[in-house]
């Protein structure tokens, strides 16, 4: 039970609530949704099993696990995990800080915004300068504190409360959104697939869906290896993975049923708001819904807890690496790494272009690369160990283990290689386009 809670706590976070609606809006709504769902089912699910078998077989942290099972160049995989963790956590903490700030805004002033324009202005204030920096610092301090103290229990309780609360609030908000006049248009944007659009834009939709799938499931940097290392041999890894994937995907999909109707009702282009999508749509909603202030406070606070349980899963990988490699003890390791991560995040509080710079790198390239290497490792280096490990607690199931190995060996590798290539092309476009323009304007 502790394992499922910890893994769900890691998976459910800003990826579902903040990143999913923002990316879905940017990549065409329904066309993105369908690609993302296919990716989660066909690649995310087998890929989570890849990390589970490594973790449970070795009972080690990701870096130690790869070292025990592999040799030579595979040992560098640990470095990749650490690099990914640094980049992701640095901006994750900044965004989580925004949720803390929005909680406080509800407590102090309530959400009394005249309309979407004012909501956009508020977002601008919250996300730049000292305001953003301060809450980034507060969030990182919480993460460091929890990891330094090594408290597991508190987190499990947090997850037990947070996940049902978030689902209940989202379902309630989605029901309210259903009553808006604009909901019909929003549902068709979100749900009726536009295959022409998909065909015309698949080269950008595919890498975006791949990155989002790995990000939201906490894959590609060894987090799930860590959690599975605590598991007993009697657990059925496939059904545990199924629960985690289903819950995580369900939450993201419901968020779409909340965000898009409110955006359409406010007359906002779904692709327009980018990183502000969830904030602009919800603060306008909380300004008008009866009881909106209380609902808003609880909602933003719950997302803050969700972000905390995800962030600690990332810092834990970095800290356990330093502890094992350098023999540093827990408190100084957590403090040193936490402060370094905080500093890396500072540019994001200065200008949101850095959010894109970090997020596109980590998500479009690094996580996809991490998952690719893990799939190659399991599929081609330790296939027999992996198959046997999967079958513990499950049984043979008519060759399911063998089928899984072949899925990991070939189709996953092909799709992920294509996604990685397209992600690199996209990032190069960003660096020579928007980012170069931003630099030139300085
Ligand atoms: N999955 C988390 C979310 O959706 C974020 C996260 C936690 C993560 N651990 C990770 C992302 C490891 C990538 C890798 O918010």
């Amino acid at each position: 039970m502790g394992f499922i809670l910890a893994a769900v706590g890691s998976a459910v976070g800003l990826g579902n609530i903040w990143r999913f609606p923002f990316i879905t809006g940017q990549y065409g709504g329904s066309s993105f949704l369908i690609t993302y769902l296919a990716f989660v089912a066909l690649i995310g699910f087998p890929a989570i099993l890849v990390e589970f078998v490594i973790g449970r077989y070795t009972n080690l942290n990701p870096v130690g696990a790869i070292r025990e099972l592999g040799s030579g160049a595979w040992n560098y995989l640990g470095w990749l995990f650490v690099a990914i963790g640094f980049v992701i956590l640095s901006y994750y903490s900044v965004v989580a800080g925004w949720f803390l700030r929005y909680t406080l805004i509800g407590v102090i002033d309530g959400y009394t915004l005249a309309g979407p324009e004012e909501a956009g202005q508020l977002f601008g204030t919250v996300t730049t300068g000292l305001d953003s920096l301060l809450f980034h610092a507060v969030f990182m301090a919480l993460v460091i504190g929890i990891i330094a103290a090594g408290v597991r229990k508190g987190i499990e309780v947090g997850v037990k409360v947070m996940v049902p609360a978030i689902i209940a609030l989202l379902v309630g908000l989605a029901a309210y959104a259903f009553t808006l006049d604009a909901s019909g248009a929003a549902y068709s944007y979100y749900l009726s697939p536009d295959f022409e659009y998909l065909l015309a834009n698949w080269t950008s939709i595919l890498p975006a869906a791949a990155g989002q799938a790995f990000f939201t499931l906490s894959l590609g940097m060894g987090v799930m290896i860590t959690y599975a290392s605590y598991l007993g041999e009697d657990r059925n890894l496939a059904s545990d993975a199924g629960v985690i994937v289903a819950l995580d995907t369900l939450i993201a999909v419901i968020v779409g049923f909340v965000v898009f109707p409110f955006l359409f009702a406010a007359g906002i282009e779904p692709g327009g708001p980018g990183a502000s999508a969830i904030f602009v749509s919800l603060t306008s909603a909380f300004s008008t819904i009866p009881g909106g202030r209380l609902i808003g406070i609880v909602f933003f606070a719950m997302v803050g807890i969700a972000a905390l349980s995800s962030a600690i899963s990332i810092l834990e990988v970095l800290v356990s690496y330093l502890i094992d490699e350098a023999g540093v003890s827990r408190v100084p390791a957590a403090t040193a790494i936490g402060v370094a991560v905080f500093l890396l995040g500072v540019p994001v509080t200065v200008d949101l272009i850095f959010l894109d710079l970090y997020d596109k790198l980590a998500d479009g390239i690094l996580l996809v690369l991490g998952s690719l290497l893990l799939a190659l490792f399991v599929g081609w280096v330790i296939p027999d160990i992996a198959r046997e490990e999967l079958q513990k607690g499950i049984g043979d199931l008519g060759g399911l283990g063998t089928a899984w190995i072949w899925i990991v060996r070939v189709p996953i590798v092909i799709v992920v290689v294509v996604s990685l290539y397209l992600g690199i092309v996209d990032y190069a476009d960003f660096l020579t386009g928007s980012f170069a323009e931003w630099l030139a304007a300085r």
Side-chain angles (χ1 to χ4, degrees):
M1 196 57 189
F3 159 74
I4 291 266
L5 285 173
V8 168
S10 171
V12 174
L14 301 179
N16 312 60
I17 287 145
W18 163 73
R19 200 172 188 282
F20 172 77
F22 131 46
I23 299 294
T24 304
Q26 268 176 357
Y27 291 94
S30 56
S31 307
F32 178 85
L33 179 66
I34 198 171
T35 314
Y36 161 76
L37 290 177
F39 216 101
V40 165
L42 302 175
I43 293 171
F45 178 71
I48 207 169
L49 289 175
V50 163
E51 296 203 16
F52 280 180
V53 295
I54 296 176
R56 189 173 66 175
Y57 180 79
T58 59
N59 293 321
L60 288 170
N61 70 72
V63 178
I66 302 291
R67 179 165 317 128
E68 181 175 300
L69 291 169
S71 57
W74 286 110
N75 288 335
Y76 293 108
L77 202 46
W79 281 100
L80 178 67
F81 293 159
V82 169
I84 296 174
F86 263 95
V87 179
I88 292 193
L89 188 54
S90 74
Y91 71 87
Y92 201 87
S93 167
V94 175
V95 178
W98 303 344
F99 279 90
L100 298 185
R101 178 69 199 278
Y102 271 95
T103 312
L104 209 66
I105 290 173
V107 173
I108 294 172
D109 298 320
Y111 310 96
T112 47
L113 300 162
E117 221 160 273
E118 216 178 306
Q121 278 162 8
L122 178 63
F123 180 76
T125 318
V126 168
T127 56
T128 34
L130 278 182
D131 293 75
S132 186
L133 185 67
L134 179 66
F135 285 87
H136 169 42
V138 170
F139 185 82
M140 253 342 276
L142 288 171
V143 179
I144 294 171
I146 293 174
I147 291 295
V151 277
R152 276 268 140 61
K153 282 271 151 20
I155 289 129
E156 287 176 18
V157 176
V159 172
K160 256 187 215 163
V161 176
M162 169 274 286
V163 168
I166 284 185
I167 293 178
L169 284 167
L170 285 173
V171 168
L173 287 167
Y176 181 81
F178 172 74
T179 67
L180 300 171
D181 285 340
S183 63
Y187 294 155
S188 105
Y189 168 81
Y190 186 42
L191 298 177
S192 69
D194 180 348
F195 290 106
E196 234 167 86
Y197 183 92
L198 189 55
L199 275 180
N201 296 288
W202 74 273
T203 55
S204 54
I205 294 175
L206 183 68
Q212 175 62 20
F214 293 138
F215 185 91
T216 191
L217 296 172
S218 302
L219 294 178
M221 61 155 288
V223 164
M224 292 299 176
I225 297 180
T226 309
Y227 284 161
S229 71
Y230 305 115
L231 270 183
E233 309 220 311
D234 52 326
R235 292 294 300 199
N236 180 334
L237 293 181
S239 64
D240 284 355
V243 171
I244 295 161
V245 171
L247 211 55
D248 186 76
T249 309
L250 177 76
I251 293 178
V253 170
I254 307 174
V255 172
F257 282 100
V258 177
V259 168
F260 295 117
F262 284 119
L263 288 183
F264 274 70
I268 300 174
E269 266 292 305
S276 73
I278 183 87
F279 298 103
V280 169
S281 56
L282 286 188
T283 46
S284 331
F286 296 146
S287 304
T288 51
I289 296 176
R293 181 172 183 178
L294 187 63
I295 299 172
I297 293 170
V298 176
F299 180 80
F300 286 127
M302 287 298 142
V303 178
I305 295 175
L308 202 55
S309 63
S310 301
I312 58 173
S313 74
I314 303 175
L315 189 59
E316 179 63 38
V317 171
L318 306 184
V319 167
S320 67
Y321 184 68
L322 194 62
I323 292 174
D324 294 353
E325 286 304 293
V328 181
S329 57
R330 185 160 268 273
V331 176
T335 313
I337 295 181
V339 169
V341 168
F342 167 76
L343 293 175
L344 186 62
V346 169
V348 181
T349 68
V350 175
D351 196 302
L352 287 188
I353 191 86
F354 288 100
L355 180 66
D356 278 344
L357 188 74
Y358 290 12
D359 182 59
K360 285 180 198 290
L361 173 69
D363 220 72
I365 300 178
L366 298 180
L367 283 184
V368 183
L369 179 63
S371 287
L372 172 64
L373 294 173
L374 282 169
L376 286 171
F377 185 71
V378 159
W380 294 98
V381 182
I382 55 156
D384 297 329
I385 291 177
R387 186 180 350 91
E388 270 171 39
E389 189 59 39
L390 180 73
Q391 286 169 349
K392 281 181 197 154
I394 305 182
D396 183 26
L397 282 182
L400 224 90
T402 310
W404 168 68
I405 287 291
W406 278 102
I407 293 170
V408 170
R409 279 186 162 174
V410 184
I412 289 194
V413 167
I414 293 173
V415 177
V416 176
V417 164
V418 173
S419 307
L420 179 61
Y421 168 76
L422 294 170
I424 293 171
V425 171
D426 250 16
Y427 198 59
D429 279 352
F430 166 75
L431 288 179
T432 54
S434 329
F435 191 65
E437 276 164 34
W438 178 85
L439 277 180
R442 292 266 122 180

